[in-house]
Amino acid sequence: MIAGLDIGSRSIELVILEDGKVAETRKAPTTFDPVTQCLRLLDGLRPASLVGTGYGRDLIQRLDLTCECSAITEIKAHALGAAHIFPEARTVLDIGGQDTKAMSLTGGRVLKFEMNDRCAAGTGKFLEYTAGVFQIPVEEFGTYALKGQNPPEISSICTVFAETEATSLMARGEKPEAIALGLHKAIVKRTVNMLKRVGLNFPVVFTGGVANNPCVLKLLAEAIGGEIGKEILVPENPDHMGALGAALHRHRSGQDRA
């Protein structure tokens, strides 16, 4: 049994591999006590090895586990996870709670990558924050935005300034759905620029929690000219790709040693 643990800013994902196949997945909010949350996720499990990834990957050394523990970067983990599900992947886009990663791949190996981890602009946190302006759960924000028409251009992608701009647009009489759509378009515009800088080639694998947002997915397909399900691929559990890649890293290294 091999455990992959992706400790992110908003959530923690766990993937268990047995004989190289996914046996179980678990997820929990990170909260202000990620160590306790990790231990809760691992409750009842006895992995022989655990590999951590994510911004909090170094916390695995504080879990006081008896199994072998190690860590790998988010870039390597997401590339491994995406390429495992979609071996034909040429580009990986991961939008998580607090960062965005774009990678170009060849044969599952990372050629070039770019990562925005200094600011929450264009991430899940941005969507969560702006959804609060509309008093809508972030899980419903994408569906709500799809109802919008003729969206105004949002000039700032900064989380705080975007809130101010959205409030100002509401005061001027713009429809809330249109403003929500404009916010989503601003995210996609920023994301596409990242993809182009690393080398945009199809198929693109979209991972991370934001891949569950139907508006971001639709706008991304329109912006890069790809069809969802063909040129743009979304795994069944897009937010578990980092944890899957972490576990696969250990599984493959064990095979190499054998």
Side-chain angles (χ1 to χ4, degrees):
M1 183 188 292
I2 299 173
L5 197 62
D6 185 0
I7 307 174
S9 61
R10 311 297 298 164
S11 63
I12 303 171
E13 288 79 29
L14 174 71
V15 169
I16 297 295
L17 292 185
E18 291 187 11
D19 298 322
K21 297 181 180 180
V22 176
E24 188 172 352
T25 63
R26 297 180 181 181
K27 181 177 179 179
T30 304
T31 73
F32 290 102
D33 189 2
V35 170
T36 297
Q37 292 296 84
C38 288
L39 292 172
R40 286 174 178 168
L41 285 174
L42 290 163
D43 185 45
L45 301 172
R46 293 182 178 275
S49 301
L50 183 146
V51 180
T53 192
Y55 95 101
R57 59 186 177 271
D58 292 336
L59 292 175
I60 63 170
Q61 304 300 332
R62 294 169 50 189
L63 298 181
D64 194 27
L65 301 175
T66 57
C67 65
E68 177 189 8
C69 295
S70 59
I72 62 172
T73 67
E74 297 167 71
I75 297 298
K76 181 178 288 187
H78 282 273
L80 284 169
H84 177 75
I85 301 297
F86 301 109
E88 69 274 28
R90 294 293 307 283
T91 308
V92 177
L93 169 65
D94 176 76
I95 306 181
Q98 208 152 305
D99 64 37
T100 302
K101 297 177 278 292
M103 295 160 261
S104 60
L105 306 182
T106 181
R109 295 176 55 223
V110 178
L111 290 176
K112 188 177 181 181
F113 74 89
E114 186 165 320
M115 184 173 180
N116 164 41
D117 60 352
R118 296 177 181 272
C119 167
T123 67
K125 181 63 177 177
F126 175 88
L127 285 169
E128 182 179 350
Y129 195 81
T130 51
V133 177
F134 298 83
Q135 298 183 344
I136 295 173
V138 68
E139 295 82 7
E140 302 173 14
F141 196 34
T143 302
Y144 178 80
L146 285 173
K147 300 175 183 177
Q149 296 180 348
N150 303 315
E153 183 175 353
I154 305 297
S155 59
S156 176
I157 196 69
C158 170
T159 304
V160 176
F161 291 159
E163 178 195 12
T164 302
E165 193 168 351
T167 304
S168 177
L169 287 166
M170 286 181 191
R172 282 163 37 190
E174 291 281 358
K175 292 185 177 180
E177 296 94 332
I179 300 171
L181 181 57
L183 288 164
H184 280 72
K185 291 193 75 169
I187 290 175
V188 171
K189 181 179 179 181
R190 177 188 179 97
T191 299
V192 170
N193 288 335
M194 285 184 68
L195 288 171
K196 289 180 177 178
R197 286 194 292 271
V198 301
L200 174 57
N201 293 295
F202 294 120
V204 175
V205 178
F206 189 8
T207 69
V210 177
N212 292 310
N213 182 302
C215 187
V216 172
L217 181 58
K218 179 177 182 291
L219 293 174
L220 177 66
E222 293 173 353
I224 65 178
E227 183 179 346
I228 299 168
K230 291 185 177 180
E231 289 84 10
I232 302 175
L233 307 172
V234 180
E236 184 177 351
N237 295 302
D239 47 352
H240 281 77
M241 287 302 98
L244 173 61
L248 285 169
H249 173 75
R250 179 63 185 83
H251 172 68
R252 293 179 181 180
S253 63
Q255 285 184 319
D256 291 341
R257 286 199 294 267

